[in-house]
Amino acid sequence: MAVVGKMFRICNVVGQYRHILFNRSVPALYQQNVGIKQSIEDKLGLPPKPKKPLTPYFRFMAQIRPNLLHKNPHTKPTDIIKLVAQEWEKTDMTLRQKLEAEYKREMVDFVSANVKYEQSLTNEQREEIKKAKVVIAHSKEKRKLKKKMKELGKPKRPASAFLLFLSEKKGSRGIKSFREWLQDMGKEWENMSDEQKSHYTAQSKKGLDGYKREMQIWEEKMIRLGHIDVVRNEALIEPRTSPVKRIRRSKKSEE
């Protein structure tokens, strides 16, 4: 049971290395629901919150966008938005006033419905929504930081010994499901001796040592460039000798 439990935990980590393990496309079971955005209320199982009405400009966009897409099927979404802006500039005042009137009328209904919704929430539900918003904001900042690190060329952490073993064994999966195959590989790994694992652990250690050197050089560069937010706290607190200085010192000691 301990092995099985460990494998389920590994399933959550291995996902990011699937491109290393397999060349086949990811099954639909493991794909995320791209494009499906849940509201905080949906996630918490609360009644849906009233939606704000579309502004006059977005009402106009909703009306003409299908026609623009039909006339320009190969145009990029960003260019479609530019075309909408151009059409909006050419609209007459009568249409704009009509859209504005519809917006104001629906806005009155929205305000009334939103007041009733807020009054229907308990203190516990309000606290849940507040906490959820904090989590969402934190996750958003983490994604932005991760994207920034990638753009700045942060070194990639090497695969662990077990993942190197999985990569070597990827041809043994056959028609097994990924989860079933992973459980089998986990049991095989657990039953291997330290000597049998030594090839993978040595390879992993070599990669990790190189990664640490690359990270030190990269973080020192980021500090010089002023990107302190992408640098680990320990790299800012602990004074470290650069790889170049260490090499020079070792040469002097040898002399």
Side-chain angles (χ1 to χ4, degrees):
M1 288 297 291
V3 174
V4 175
K6 184 177 181 180
M7 285 303 96
F8 277 106
R9 290 194 297 273
I10 292 174
C11 278
N12 297 325
V13 179
V14 169
Q16 60 183 309
Y17 293 95
R18 290 184 66 84
H19 65 285
I20 297 175
L21 303 176
F22 309 109
N23 292 324
R24 69 184 74 178
S25 59
V26 182
L29 177 63
Y30 299 98
Q31 294 178 351
Q32 295 181 345
N33 294 325
V34 179
I36 300 177
K37 186 177 180 180
Q38 278 188 315
S39 67
I40 294 177
E41 290 74 22
D42 289 336
K43 292 177 181 179
L44 297 176
L46 299 176
K49 185 177 181 179
K51 294 183 179 180
K52 286 185 178 181
L54 293 176
T55 62
Y57 179 75
F58 281 100
R59 288 168 186 271
F60 176 75
M61 179 186 288
Q63 290 176 7
I64 71 165
R65 188 170 178 272
N67 189 40
L68 289 175
L69 288 172
H70 179 72
K71 291 181 178 179
N72 307 276
H74 304 297
T75 305
K76 296 179 180 179
T78 51
D79 292 331
I80 291 293
I81 293 175
K82 291 178 182 178
L83 291 175
V84 172
Q86 292 171 8
E87 292 296 323
W88 175 253
E89 290 299 322
K90 294 186 289 185
T91 56
D92 56 42
M93 191 56 64
T94 303
L95 176 58
R96 293 195 182 198
Q97 289 175 346
K98 178 185 175 183
L99 295 174
E100 181 71 26
E102 291 176 357
Y103 168 70
K104 288 181 178 180
R105 184 171 60 253
E106 291 183 16
M107 194 65 181
V108 171
D109 295 335
F110 163 75
V111 171
S112 176
N114 195 53
V115 169
K116 291 179 180 179
Y117 175 80
E118 292 293 337
Q119 292 175 344
S120 69
L121 294 175
T122 64
N123 291 333
E124 290 77 11
Q125 289 172 333
R126 290 193 184 91
E127 189 63 27
E128 286 180 4
I129 293 173
K130 184 179 178 180
K131 290 179 180 179
K133 286 181 178 179
V134 172
V135 171
I136 291 172
H138 181 64
S139 299
K140 186 177 180 180
E141 286 301 317
K142 284 183 67 176
R143 288 194 299 271
K144 285 173 63 177
L145 188 61
K146 187 175 181 180
K147 182 181 178 182
K148 181 179 179 179
M149 288 178 177
K150 185 177 180 180
E151 292 173 347
L152 290 172
K154 180 186 176 183
K156 292 183 179 180
R157 191 176 187 87
S160 65
F162 177 66
L163 287 172
L164 290 172
F165 166 74
L166 284 182
S167 181
E168 187 177 283
K169 292 285 187 176
K170 62 184 179 182
S172 66
R173 177 180 171 185
I175 60 173
K176 291 181 181 178
S177 68
F178 178 71
R179 185 177 292 272
E180 181 184 1
W181 174 80
L182 185 60
Q183 289 179 3
D184 290 344
M185 290 299 98
K187 292 175 183 177
E188 184 175 335
W189 176 259
E190 289 289 334
N191 293 327
M192 288 171 61
S193 64
D194 291 340
E195 185 178 353
Q196 291 173 313
K197 295 179 182 179
S198 61
H199 166 68
Y200 306 104
T201 53
Q203 190 177 345
S204 177
K205 183 180 183 303
K206 182 179 179 181
L208 188 59
D209 290 340
Y211 166 75
K212 289 179 179 178
R213 289 192 296 270
E214 291 175 0
M215 274 296 294
Q216 182 173 339
I217 294 171
W218 182 76
E219 286 182 323
E220 289 173 352
K221 179 182 177 182
M222 292 301 102
I223 293 173
R224 290 197 304 271
L225 294 176
H227 298 298
I228 307 298
D229 56 330
V230 302
V231 180
R232 295 169 298 173
N233 290 335
E234 56 266 32
L236 296 171
I237 297 172
E238 298 177 6
R240 297 183 299 177
T241 306
S242 68
V244 176
K245 289 182 179 179
R246 284 204 306 272
I247 293 172
R248 288 175 180 172
R249 288 180 181 178
S250 64
K251 285 184 178 179
K252 287 182 179 180
S253 61
E254 289 175 0
E255 292 174 356

